[in-house]
């Protein structure tokens, strides 16, 4: 076989060689990151706890809606007690809880987890994927359904396809189950005062925003979604 004359050989610069295979992270142009916020709205959340959960939901949405995120996030809410309803995914700036949402009734973890699992199924991704969907789950209690059910299989299936961030409000929240469901030790925290919910949930939104803009997954990078908002 004859050799290619040197004059015909392609000239490749050192810069081109170094940059081959390197793709600059981009957001807001192709794939979106889907986020579900699931706040407990059972009777024990009535009053200040639920009001602060609503404020925290808005704080998280406001972080994801910041202009620098270029509309990369689509957000839905799944408030739950012994039933649950999921709002459609929409740009973070437009997110609201369903009209008439109030705190009453019992607590059934299987209802929001099943909704999240079904909603995330088309977007599920490995931990390394910066577009991996995220569930933010908030409760002040334990799984106490009207009819017997076990949320554990749903929790384990969910964290295989999505990031799961869990917030335990007060001393009665089932921290053991939330730790099992969360994507890692830093993905679960206990909040002692409802007034902290706004800043903690805002911190989750800020962490999601930073990791998405950097093209990193919060799970793969072992990031702390609550950042500096942790106390003691």
């Amino acid at each position: 076989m004859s050799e290619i004359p040197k004059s015909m050989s392609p000239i490749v610069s050192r810069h081109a060689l170094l940059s081959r295979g390197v793709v600059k992270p981009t957001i807001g142009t192709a794939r979106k990151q889907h986020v579900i916020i699931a706040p407990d709205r059972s009777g024990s959340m009535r009053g200040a706890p639920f009001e602060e959960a609503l404020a925290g939901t808005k704080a998280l949405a406001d972080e994801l809606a910041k202009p620098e995120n270029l509309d990369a996030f689509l957000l839905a809410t799944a408030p739950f007690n012994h039933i649950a309803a999921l709002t459609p995914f929409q740009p973070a700036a437009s997110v609201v809880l369903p009209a008439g949402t109030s705190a009453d009734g019992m607590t059934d973890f299987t209802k929001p987890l099943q909704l999240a699992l079904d909603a995330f199924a088309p977007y599920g991704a490995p931990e390394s994927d910066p577009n991996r969907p995220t569930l933010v789950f908030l409760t002040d209690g334990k799984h106490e359904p009207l009819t017997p059910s076990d949320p554990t299989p749903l929790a384990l299936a969910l964290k295989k396809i999505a990031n799961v961030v869990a917030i335990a409000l007060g001393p009665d929240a089932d921290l053991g189950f939330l730790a099992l469901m969360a994507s890692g030790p830093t993905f679960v925290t206990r909040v002692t005062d409802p007034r902290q919910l706004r800043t903690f949930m805002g911190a989750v939104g800020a962490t999601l925003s930073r990791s998405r803009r950097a093209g990193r997954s919060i799970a793969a990078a072992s990031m702390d979604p609550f950042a500096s908002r942790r106390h003691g």
Side-chain angles (χ1 to χ4, degrees):
M1 180 181 294
S2 60
E3 295 184 359
I4 299 176
K6 290 183 179 180
S7 60
M8 297 178 60
S9 299
I11 298 175
V12 181
S13 69
R14 182 171 179 271
H15 173 75
L17 286 171
L18 291 174
S19 63
R20 280 180 177 176
V22 177
V23 179
K24 183 179 180 180
T26 59
I27 63 175
T29 56
R31 294 176 59 194
K32 302 287 188 178
Q33 185 169 359
H34 294 73
V35 178
I36 295 175
I37 305 175
D40 188 339
R41 69 174 191 92
S42 62
S44 58
M45 289 285 291
R46 189 179 296 116
F50 192 59
E51 291 173 4
E52 292 300 327
L54 296 180
T57 297
K58 185 177 186 306
L60 199 162
D62 286 347
E63 285 288 342
L64 301 186
K66 286 185 174 180
E68 56 264 39
N69 287 325
L70 304 178
D71 294 324
F73 292 95
L74 293 177
L75 187 58
T77 60
F80 68 95
N81 50 15
H82 52 277
I83 59 175
L86 180 69
T87 63
F89 285 110
Q90 54 191 316
S94 305
V95 167
V96 295
L97 289 177
T101 303
S102 60
D104 55 39
M106 302 292 287
T107 307
D108 189 336
F109 291 167
T110 64
K111 300 299 174 61
L113 295 185
Q114 185 65 66
L115 288 175
L117 186 61
D118 293 343
F120 284 159
Y123 315 108
E127 288 186 353
S128 59
D129 193 328
N131 297 293
R132 198 179 200 220
T134 297
L135 170 67
V136 181
F137 188 92
L138 162 66
T139 184
D140 71 337
K142 300 176 176 61
H143 178 61
E144 297 176 330
L146 296 176
T147 56
S149 61
D150 182 4
T152 303
L154 293 172
L156 296 177
L158 187 58
K159 73 177 185 178
K160 288 182 179 179
I161 65 169
N163 304 317
V164 181
V165 179
I167 303 174
L169 174 60
D172 297 326
D174 190 347
L175 193 60
F177 176 78
L178 295 181
L180 170 72
M181 179 173 67
S183 294
T186 62
F187 283 61
V188 59
T189 196
R190 189 188 294 280
V191 175
T192 57
D193 187 330
R195 291 174 295 182
Q196 296 173 331
L197 283 176
R198 192 176 317 201
T199 52
F200 270 73
M201 294 177 74
V204 173
T207 300
L208 286 171
S209 296
R210 285 195 302 272
S211 65
R212 184 69 164 78
R213 292 197 299 271
R216 296 186 299 165
S217 162
I218 60 174
S222 299
M223 298 179 73
D224 182 350
F226 302 100
S228 62
R229 296 300 181 179
R230 292 186 184 273
H231 301 280

